Amino acid sequence: MSVNVVCGKCGEKITNMKMLKSLKDAMASNNGKCPACGEKLSSSEFELDAREK
């Protein structure tokens, strides 16, 4: 299973994880901001949208 982490403001894909890891680890690679719109990402405000491909 892979998981896409996307910005809640603009929908830009932040990262794709092959294995689950903490949200803080996923956001660390972009200094806690969306690379497309600059929105500050928060590990306390997130939504899980799981879809089967």
Side-chain angles (χ1 to χ4, degrees):
M1 170 173 62
S2 69
V3 176
N4 288 330
V5 177
V6 298
C7 175
K9 181 178 180 183
C10 70
E12 180 73 17
K13 184 169 87 170
I14 306 297
T15 188
N16 179 282
M17 299 184 296
K18 298 292 184 208
M19 296 178 64
L20 292 179
K21 57 184 175 180
S22 77
L23 288 174
K24 287 183 182 181
D25 289 343
M27 295 185 304
S29 63
N30 296 310
N31 295 321
K33 293 184 178 181
C34 173
C37 70
E39 179 76 8
K40 183 178 179 199
L41 304 172
S42 170
S43 60
S44 64
E45 297 177 16
F46 68 94
E47 181 178 312
L48 177 63
D49 183 11
R51 299 177 195 174
E52 186 175 343
K53 287 189 174 185

